[in-house]
Amino acid sequence: MARIPVFTIAILLFFIASFQASSATSKPTGLSMKLIRRDLLFPGNLTTFQRIRRLVQLSVRAQNFDSFPSLNQSEDNVLVRLPIGRVPESYAYVVEFKIGSQFHPVKLLMDTGSSLIWTQCEPCIQCYPQKVPIYDSRTSTSYSKLPCTHELCQGENNRFRCYNNECVYNIQYGATSRRNSPRTKGVASFEAFQFPVDTVHTTVINDMIFGCSNDNPNIDFANGQISGILGLSRGPDGLASQLAKRGIIENRFSYCLVPFHDVLRQPTILRFGDHIPLPVGNLQYTDFILYPGRNHYYVELLDISVGFQKKGFESIPGMFELRQDGSGGSLIDSGTVVSTIDENTIGRNAYKEVMAEFQAYYDKKNFRRKVGQVEEKFELCYYNKAGFRDFVTMTLHFEGGDYFIDGKYMHYFADEEEEGEGYFCVALFKSSKTILGAWQQQNMRIIYDMNGGGFQWITEICANDHFP
């Protein structure tokens, strides 16, 4: 038998060792999931305008709830953690994947304002109508309950609470004073999640922490398509945080929201870790502000410009900072459809002054004001002028970068065929917080980087972002 030269063996051993070292120290990989805009799930043969109007109307319902979180105890002494006060029915984007040993499909609303991942679970105490079968943990061999000894169920930083020897949660959406506020209750658990890697392959990640919700009073997703919520905030039970802690991805995620009026209905891609593309151009960023006990994506807002008119809010230190009662602050939240501006800022009413600039712009151009409240509840609306395209822009001046919003994404446009005479509205709501919502994130590459990169953005044609 022919001998292999010692030099050749040495070369082979070198490459094997190099490969092993490379595999052991390689960076975490990535994941990608399709985001379905919720209006595309509405039943019936609706026009684009009708679908978008219904989505905006759902978001209006959220304006009736307090927009700041608090903590307190419920009647049964179960810890209640209140995420930002929006009703879940108003969330805009849905993600699909499978859970459990039976690969049960779930459709969850993406929410960057809360962290818990939860889905309805049998046996139900009180479940809302759901067209797809409700997940049943009793049929899954990969399911187990989170023990009361788990770090998330005890200690100062617990997310859940041990009650009757079970690690449970009781989350209320909205103001604590409302007995009819949407609420989800259940058992914190482990389960296997199956995620798509590309159009062909999937990966299964075992022991993901999620909420098995069997009691969901006052939650109604109308069309029965939604199983629960996908939490993406900074909390340790959020999806990105869990994947990063497991070493599966770097702790960052990204999306590029395809315009709401896009007729091709191209899905938006939610990307994690190494699946996030390297942006081409001047990527801007601002650091996240970390407030104790709050996991939302707060940023430092200094000033606001309408067109080229800067309001000069930066002359009042801390105008947009979080206030002691939990109101105030500026944050990024894809679960909020239409952006809001704080009307209770110290010293000056930011919302009122910004809207006055919009009104002055269109009054000067002799637009006819649409009098009376429109169905979408926007405050400032005008009738269209044929051929007009010079809609005014808005810029959010963050610490470190300027977030420029094109005029077509600062307004809501009502279809002429539906209304007889078309009109447009300034797409802003007043609130007790300033929130950059999904409407003003269209055609923008958005990156949430918890590795120190903060909130990053750059203009992009989002319809060109395809699934791997």
Side-chain angles (χ1 to χ4, degrees):
M1 184 174 71
R3 292 185 176 182
I4 301 175
V6 175
F7 176 77
T8 302
I9 294 176
I11 292 294
L12 288 172
L13 290 173
F14 171 81
F15 278 113
I16 291 172
S18 298
F19 174 79
Q20 290 175 336
S22 173
S23 299
T25 60
S26 61
K27 290 182 178 180
T29 182
L31 291 172
S32 295
M33 290 181 278
K34 293 181 181 179
L35 285 179
I36 305 168
R37 219 175 55 236
R38 187 157 170 229
D39 60 279
L40 298 179
L41 299 178
F42 293 151
N45 188 23
L46 303 178
T47 67
T48 298
F49 168 72
Q50 289 171 331
R51 288 187 292 99
I52 294 174
R53 164 178 273 183
R54 189 173 296 185
L55 185 65
V56 171
Q57 287 173 334
L58 285 174
S59 74
V60 170
R61 295 177 58 185
Q63 307 307 315
N64 297 323
F65 287 77
D66 292 346
S67 59
F68 54 90
S70 60
L71 304 177
N72 73 349
Q73 301 289 327
S74 68
E75 314 86 272
D76 51 6
N77 203 33
V78 176
L79 186 66
V80 178
R81 293 192 178 269
L82 304 178
I84 199 155
R86 291 173 285 97
V87 291
E89 292 96 316
S90 68
Y91 299 171
Y93 290 90
V94 179
V95 63
E96 294 182 81
F97 57 94
K98 297 178 181 179
I99 66 173
S101 60
Q102 303 297 314
F103 300 117
H104 188 95
V106 293
K107 290 183 179 179
L108 307 182
L109 289 167
M110 181 183 76
D111 183 21
T112 54
S114 64
S115 58
L116 179 66
I117 306 164
W118 65 265
T119 187
Q120 290 206 115
C121 287
E122 294 280 10
C124 289
I125 296 173
Q126 184 175 352
C127 288
Y128 55 83
Q130 186 177 308
K131 287 184 179 179
V132 296
I134 296 175
Y135 164 80
D136 191 338
S137 62
R138 297 168 298 185
T139 66
S140 176
T141 58
S142 52
Y143 172 86
S144 62
K145 295 180 180 179
L146 206 72
C148 282
T149 56
H150 193 277
E151 60 181 351
L152 295 185
C153 205
Q154 61 179 354
E156 293 183 359
N157 298 318
N158 64 318
R159 307 294 294 173
F160 316 114
R161 182 172 183 148
C162 189
Y163 185 74
N164 288 341
N165 294 319
E166 287 188 324
C167 189
V168 298
Y169 57 89
N170 182 345
I171 298 179
Q172 180 178 309
Y173 296 83
T176 58
S177 60
R178 294 176 182 265
R179 294 189 173 220
N180 62 344
S181 293
R183 183 187 294 260
T184 184
K185 309 176 189 178
V187 179
S189 309
F190 292 113
E191 186 55 286
F193 286 9
Q194 184 190 59
F195 295 111
V197 175
D198 51 39
T199 54
V200 177
H201 304 92
T202 60
T203 184
V204 175
I205 303 174
N206 294 312
D207 297 325
M208 292 291 292
I209 296 171
F210 83 113
C212 193
S213 290
N214 61 357
D215 192 2
N216 306 297
N218 303 314
I219 291 181
D220 181 10
F221 290 119
N223 59 6
Q225 297 278 356
I226 308 302
S227 314
I229 302 292
L230 179 76
L232 276 173
S233 80
R234 303 175 60 90
D237 50 341
L239 180 58
S241 300
Q242 288 195 60
L243 294 175
K245 187 175 181 180
R246 302 276 293 275
I248 298 168
I249 63 164
E250 294 176 343
N251 197 0
R252 59 195 184 105
F253 66 93
S254 174
Y255 53 75
C256 190
L257 300 183
V258 175
F260 283 68
H261 289 86
D262 186 77
V263 294
L264 297 177
R265 301 187 182 184
Q266 175 75 21
T268 289
I269 311 300
L270 176 62
R271 299 178 178 275
F272 296 86
D274 291 343
H275 277 203
I276 299 174
L278 183 65
V280 177
N282 181 28
L283 183 69
Q284 298 198 66
Y285 76 94
T286 185
D287 291 330
F288 290 124
I289 300 177
L290 304 181
Y291 292 112
R294 301 178 188 276
N295 295 308
H296 305 102
Y297 295 104
Y298 283 97
V299 291
E300 185 176 2
L301 177 63
L302 302 177
D303 211 336
I304 300 175
S305 291
V306 178
F308 299 105
Q309 184 66 41
K310 201 171 187 180
K311 292 306 301 172
F313 295 142
E314 58 189 339
S315 65
I316 303 177
M319 183 170 175
F320 293 100
E321 286 184 359
L322 188 71
R323 295 185 283 272
Q324 196 168 16
D325 65 354
S327 64
S330 303
L331 57 100
I332 318 301
D333 181 28
S334 64
T336 297
V337 177
V338 177
S339 295
T340 66
I341 294 181
D342 192 351
E343 65 172 340
N344 301 315
T345 44
I346 299 171
R348 295 164 64 179
N349 185 328
Y351 172 79
K352 186 176 180 180
E353 291 194 30
V354 166
M355 295 302 288
E357 289 293 338
F358 278 101
Q359 182 173 347
Y361 178 85
Y362 291 113
D363 286 353
K364 188 175 180 179
K365 293 184 177 296
N366 297 316
F367 273 83
R368 185 163 54 100
R369 182 88 178 266
K370 183 173 174 59
V371 181
Q373 198 173 58
V374 297
E375 288 187 44
E376 301 84 2
K377 309 297 183 184
F378 291 116
E379 183 176 311
L380 187 61
C381 299
Y382 293 90
Y383 289 103
N384 290 335
K385 280 186 179 181
F388 183 82
R389 293 291 181 269
D390 194 18
F391 297 98
V392 68
T393 64
M394 189 173 84
T395 304
L396 300 175
H397 301 283
F398 295 120
E399 174 64 40
D402 296 328
Y403 188 97
F404 176 81
I405 304 167
D406 190 277
K408 61 186 172 184
Y409 304 131
M410 269 311 306
H411 299 79
Y412 167 88
F413 299 93
D415 196 316
E416 293 182 17
E417 293 181 5
E418 297 290 335
E419 297 300 318
E421 187 173 8
Y423 64 90
F424 65 92
C425 304
V426 176
L428 287 172
F429 289 123
K430 58 186 174 184
S431 177
S432 59
K433 282 187 179 292
T434 299
I435 303 174
L436 177 59
W439 195 272
Q440 281 76 20
Q441 295 180 37
Q442 298 178 75
N443 266 346
M444 193 76 75
R445 167 62 60 187
I446 301 292
I447 302 174
Y448 300 75
D449 189 341
M450 281 66 73
N451 294 323
F455 173 63
Q456 304 172 1
W457 68 91
I458 189 172
T459 301
E460 183 175 318
I461 300 175
C462 297
N464 292 337
D465 188 25
H466 298 290
F467 196 72

